[in-house]
Amino acid sequence: MATATVSGSKYDARALREKYLAERDKRLRRDGEAQYLEAAGDFADFVEDPYVEPGFTRDAIVEDVDLLIVGGGFGGLLTAAEAVKRGIDSFRIVELAGDFGGTWYWNRYPGVRCDIEAYIYMPLIEEVGTVPTERYAVGGEIFEHARAIGRHFGLYDHALFQTKVERMAWDEAAGRWIVETSRGDTIRARFVSVSQGPLAKVKLPGIPGIREFKGRMFHSARWDYAYTGGDPSGGLTGLAGKTVGIIGTGATAVQIAPKVAPYAKRLYIFQRTPSAVDIRDNSTTDADWLKHQPSGWQRERMENFLAIVSGAHVDRNLVNDRWGDLWMRFGELMQTEFQAGGALTPGDMMQRADYEKMEAIRRRVAETIDDPEQAARLMPWYNFLCKRPLYSDEYLPVFNRPNVSLIDTDGRGVERLTENGLVANDQEFAVDLIIFATGFDVGAPPHKVGEYEVTGRRGITLDDKWRHLRTLHGTQFSGFPNLHVVGGTAQGTTAFNFTHTLLMQAEHAVDIVGWCLAHGVKAMEVTPEAEERWHDLIEAKHVDHQQFYEECTPGFLNNEGNFRDKPTYIGGTYGGGPLEYEQIIREWRRDRIQDDTVVTPLD
Ligand code: NDP
C-alpha cells in the first residue's frame, strides 16, 4: 500500500481513496436532485411566513420608477445602497418577507450564526457603524444589521414588503419592464435588478408519509418558537418532555442540535452522511481594534480573504481563520516540494493537503466522542471540499449526552414518516417534533427561486434562456434589456464570502444603470456576440473538476452525485476565480460597455 507522510501525519493514501469511493458508492442514487420535494403546492405550508401578522392588506400601487430591485436580502440592499450613493432615488424594492434581511430574516432557528467572519461578511459595517459583538455573529445580529442598512440609506421608504413578483415583461415601445405583483401592483421600471439569493428555495426530502405524521414538523428556515419556546439564543422550554427528530447533519443541523439537546427529553439526529466539522474558536470583538481600523479596511480584509481562499499569494493573512487552513497547508506543501525539487503537481499537493486536513478532522471526532463506535459513525470519508466546510465547537460534544442518539443510516437516510414518527434502518422512531434541516435548492435560477416568469424581447422567457444558457458575466442576458442579476453564480462567480460576490455584482449593476441614466439610454442589451465570447472564455478557463466531483460523496455541489448530467462550465462559475472575475467586470465597465451592447436612446 502507498504511504504518504505529510507534516508528521501518517496515512495510507491508496486506502483512503478506496474508502472514499466505497462511501460515495453507498450514497449514489439514480434520482439525484429529484429525491427532494419542493416546498410548494401541497407542501406550501412549510414556507409560510411565521414572523408576520396574518391578514396584511394594502392598496395596489401603479407607478413608474427608474429601478426596481427584486429581493431585500443583502443582494437587494447592496444594490439599493449603491443606487442611493450614486444619487439614483427613483427606485422600488419588492420583498416577499415582512422585512429586509433575506436568508437572515427567514433563518431564525436556535443557534443560527454565520460561519464567515462578521468583519468581512456583514457588508457596509464601516458606513453603517455596526460593531459586531463577536467574530462569528449570530443570525439575529446580522438580521439587525440588514435592517440598519435599510435605515441608514433610507430604504424602508422604497420597500414593498409581503409582496411577491408574479411576472415581468419587457414593453418595447415604453422601454420599460412591466412588473406585476401578488398585491395587484403594476410597476413600470426602466431597469430591473433581481437578487433572489441561493438559500431561498426550501427543500424537503421526497420520502413517503410526510402528510401522515400527526406531530409537529417544520423546516429549519421557518422555526416555530410558539411550539418550542425560547428564541434563537436557546431556552427552548417548550421541548420539555418531548422527543425530537432532526433530519440532516449539514451546516444548519450542526447549529441547531446543541440548542435542542439541553431541552428535549430525547433527541434523535438522523444522519445520512457525517459532516466534516472543523474548529470554530469564536471570540468577542475588540471594539478598540475595530475603532482604530483605517478607512477602507473592510474591503481590504474582504479582498485579502478572497485571495487566500482563491489560492493567491498574499503577504499577510488578515482573517487567518479555519477557512484558509486548507490553502495554507497546500501552500506549505508546495513550498516544501519545490525546495526539495520534487515532481508532484499542484493537484497532487492539493490532494495531500486535503487528506491531511480530513485526517485532522477525523482525529478531532475521535478525541471528542466518548464512545469509539459512535466516533467511527461520525467520521466523514470524503475530500474536504466535496461538501461545504462546517465549523462548530458544540456539535460533536452533543453526542456524549445521554439524551441524544445518533441514528446513523449508513448513507440511506430517513426512509419515510409514519403517523408517529420516522423510519430509518427499518426501525420506527416515535417523536413529537420533526425538524427538516434538509437545506435549499442552491443552484436554482433566479426566476425559479422567485417563482415568476420573465419575458424579454421577441417573447423569449428567462426559462428558455436557461435551457441554452448564454449570459454576459452571469449578470446580463441578450434578449433581456435593462435586466441585471445580482448574486449570479451561473456563468458568474461566487466568493466563499457570498456578500463579497453580491457587493461586486451590485456595484456592477448600478454602475451600468447609472451610466444609462446619465447617457439617456432607453434600452441597453448585451449582444449575442458578447455572450458567445464570454461563453468561450468560460470554456477556456474551465477548471476540470470532473474527476474530483465524481469521486465526491453526493451533495448539492456535485448535482447529488450526477455530475456528468450537468457540466459545470455551462451553469458553473467563471473558472478564473472571483478575483479575476471582479477585475474583468470592472474593466468591462470602463472599456467595453459600448462595444458589447446595443443601445436605444430615449425618444
Ligand atoms: P444541506 O443541504 O447542507 O444539508 C442537508 C442535510 O439533509 C444533509 O445532511 C443531507 O444528507 C440531509 N438529508 C437530506 N435528505 C435526507 C434524508 N432522507 N435522510 C437523512 N438526511 C437527509 O442544508 P443546510 O440547511 O444544512 O445548509 C444549506 C446551506 O446553508 C449551507 O451549505 C450553507 O451555504 C448555508 N448555511 C450557512 C451557514 C453559515 O454559517 N454561513 C449556516 C447554515 C447554513 P447528505 O449529506 O447525505 O446529503
Side-chain angles (χ1 to χ4, degrees):
M1 286 262 175
T3 306
T5 307
V6 182
S7 307
S9 160
K10 271 201 167 186
Y11 58 86
D12 182 330
R14 193 177 303 161
L16 269 186
R17 182 158 185 271
E18 279 165 16
K19 171 83 172 157
Y20 284 11
L21 291 177
E23 290 290 327
R24 175 208 60 179
D25 289 349
K26 269 188 212 168
R27 293 173 174 81
L28 281 176
R29 34 192 295 166
R30 279 175 184 279
D31 51 1
E33 282 180 344
Q35 70 181 280
Y36 288 104
L37 268 181
E38 222 181 293
D42 289 348
F43 298 94
D45 53 313
F46 276 92
V47 285
E48 277 166 13
D49 187 344
Y51 316 118
V52 290
E53 292 293 325
F56 168 75
T57 57
R58 64 164 171 80
D59 292 337
I61 290 172
V62 178
E63 66 176 1
D64 285 10
V65 292
D66 282 343
L67 173 63
L68 174 75
I69 297 166
V70 183
F74 279 129
L77 287 168
L78 288 169
T79 309
E82 278 300 314
V84 171
K85 285 188 205 171
R86 287 159 203 251
I88 302 170
D89 55 10
S90 167
F91 65 90
R92 179 61 81 189
I93 306 169
V94 174
E95 166 58 55
L96 177 65
D99 205 335
F100 292 128
T103 198
W104 303 103
Y105 173 93
W106 296 112
N107 285 279
R108 303 190 197 186
Y109 58 79
V112 59
R113 194 181 277 281
C114 183
D115 59 16
I116 299 282
E117 191 196 67
Y119 320 131
I120 59 168
Y121 179 80
M122 287 161 73
L124 306 176
I125 54 178
E126 276 189 86
E127 285 92 328
V128 175
T130 300
V131 178
T133 54
E134 291 172 283
R135 190 171 184 198
Y136 302 96
V138 294
E141 207 170 303
I142 303 171
F143 176 34
E144 196 40 55
H145 176 63
R147 301 176 63 188
I149 293 175
R151 288 191 297 273
H152 183 85
F153 290 95
L155 307 182
Y156 277 92
D157 295 340
H158 297 261
L160 294 177
F161 293 119
Q162 298 191 58
T163 303
K164 181 181 169 307
V165 167
E166 296 283 12
R167 64 194 68 81
M168 55 177 95
W170 175 251
D171 180 334
E172 189 64 55
R176 286 180 181 270
W177 285 97
I178 311 300
V179 182
E180 293 171 313
T181 77
S182 56
R183 303 257 169 212
D185 311 311
T186 302
I187 303 170
R188 297 158 37 86
R190 287 180 64 189
F191 298 87
V192 171
S193 176
V194 299
S195 289
Q196 295 296 159
L199 303 176
K201 210 167 172 53
V202 160
K203 267 182 353 193
L204 300 170
I207 51 179
I210 292 186
R211 286 296 172 210
E212 279 170 37
F213 179 60
K214 294 277 192 282
R216 183 73 183 105
M217 57 183 164
F218 49 78
H219 189 274
S220 53
R222 300 291 187 277
W223 194 272
D224 180 0
Y225 283 105
Y227 181 89
T228 64
D231 59 33
S233 69
L236 310 177
T237 50
L239 296 182
K242 300 242 164 40
T243 300
V244 179
I246 301 179
I247 307 182
T249 52
T252 299
V254 157
Q255 296 182 331
I256 290 174
K259 295 291 182 190
V260 170
Y263 292 96
K265 181 176 81 180
R266 172 141 300 280
L267 170 61
Y268 295 119
I269 300 175
F270 292 87
Q271 171 180 274
R272 190 164 69 176
T273 310
S275 281
V277 187
D278 204 350
I279 298 163
R280 173 64 305 162
D281 196 19
N282 200 2
S283 55
T284 50
T285 298
D286 178 349
D288 210 39
W289 164 78
L290 202 68
K291 204 169 72 194
H292 289 101
Q293 291 300 306
S295 166
W297 68 269
Q298 188 183 31
R299 194 64 180 249
E300 187 193 351
R301 200 172 174 89
M302 286 168 115
E303 281 165 7
N304 181 267
F305 176 80
L306 188 54
I308 298 274
V309 294
S310 304
H313 173 76
V314 287
D315 290 330
R316 275 201 314 154
N317 182 346
L318 293 175
V319 173
N320 197 17
D321 73 356
R322 304 299 292 181
W323 279 98
D325 186 46
L326 179 68
W327 286 270
M328 298 307 278
R329 284 171 191 264
F330 167 66
E332 279 167 26
L333 286 171
M334 285 292 285
Q335 205 170 0
T336 315
E337 179 73 2
F338 180 70
Q339 279 163 359
L344 288 172
T345 64
D348 297 331
M349 287 288 112
M350 192 54 165
Q351 183 60 71
R352 274 195 179 188
D354 201 306
Y355 282 147
E356 186 188 343
K357 172 93 197 151
M358 288 301 283
E359 286 284 280
I361 284 191
R362 288 187 285 266
R363 267 199 306 278
R364 186 175 188 228
V365 177
E367 285 160 11
T368 311
I369 303 294
D370 297 339
D371 171 9
E373 282 182 21
Q374 175 119 298
R377 287 193 286 271
L378 283 163
M379 284 186 190
W381 298 100
Y382 44 81
N383 275 324
F384 186 64
L385 293 180
C386 283
K387 292 216 170 240
R388 187 185 184 283
L390 310 186
Y391 303 87
S392 170
D393 299 334
E394 287 93 35
Y395 175 66
L396 290 170
V398 151
F399 294 96
N400 292 331
R401 296 180 62 101
N403 68 328
V404 175
S405 305
L406 170 69
I407 311 299
D408 176 43
T409 62
D410 200 24
R412 290 187 303 273
V414 172
E415 290 147 33
R416 64 192 158 91
L417 302 194
T418 64
E419 205 175 300
N420 301 316
L422 309 91
V423 176
N425 302 338
D426 299 324
Q427 191 186 338
E428 184 181 60
F429 297 86
V431 297
D432 301 293
L433 167 66
I434 298 174
I435 299 160
F436 291 94
T438 44
F440 309 90
D441 187 354
V442 174
H447 63 285
K448 288 278 185 203
V449 178
E451 294 168 0
Y452 51 77
E453 194 47 277
V454 182
T455 311
R457 279 183 166 150
R458 301 172 293 282
I460 172 181
T461 66
L462 210 47
D463 212 36
D464 298 333
K465 188 87 188 167
W466 231 266
R467 282 197 204 109
H468 181 65
L469 191 61
R470 290 291 185 277
T471 77
L472 184 61
H473 308 137
T475 60
Q476 297 183 82
F477 313 89
S478 71
F480 298 82
N482 299 6
L483 178 75
H484 296 265
V485 171
V486 169
T489 53
Q491 299 192 355
T493 196
T494 180
F496 278 82
N497 175 13
F498 197 64
T499 54
H500 194 169
T501 311
L502 297 172
L503 192 58
M504 53 177 99
Q505 291 188 342
E507 283 172 352
H508 187 60
V510 180
D511 224 21
I512 297 167
V513 170
W515 189 91
C516 289
L517 291 172
H519 289 81
V521 171
K522 182 177 177 184
M524 173 188 272
E525 180 186 348
V526 296
T527 62
E529 294 74 26
E531 285 184 329
E532 283 310 316
R533 262 205 326 277
W534 181 246
H535 181 262
D536 291 348
L537 191 62
I538 294 261
E539 264 188 325
K541 285 280 181 169
H542 173 59
V543 183
D544 190 359
H545 292 306
Q546 180 93 7
Q547 188 185 349
F548 176 84
Y549 279 119
E550 272 182 7
E551 294 189 358
C552 277
T553 192
F556 64 78
L557 293 177
N558 70 347
N559 194 24
E560 295 295 338
N562 296 329
F563 192 63
R564 270 185 203 282
D565 300 348
K566 210 180 191 179
T568 47
Y569 71 90
I570 300 295
T573 55
Y574 170 69
L579 286 172
E580 212 174 278
Y581 175 88
E582 186 168 27
Q583 198 182 341
I584 289 173
I585 59 173
R586 269 205 195 122
E587 287 175 3
W588 185 86
R589 298 198 301 269
R590 197 188 57 209
D591 303 330
R592 295 207 56 87
I593 189 164
Q594 297 186 67
D595 298 338
D596 286 347
T597 58
V598 174
V599 163
T600 315
L602 281 171
D603 306 327

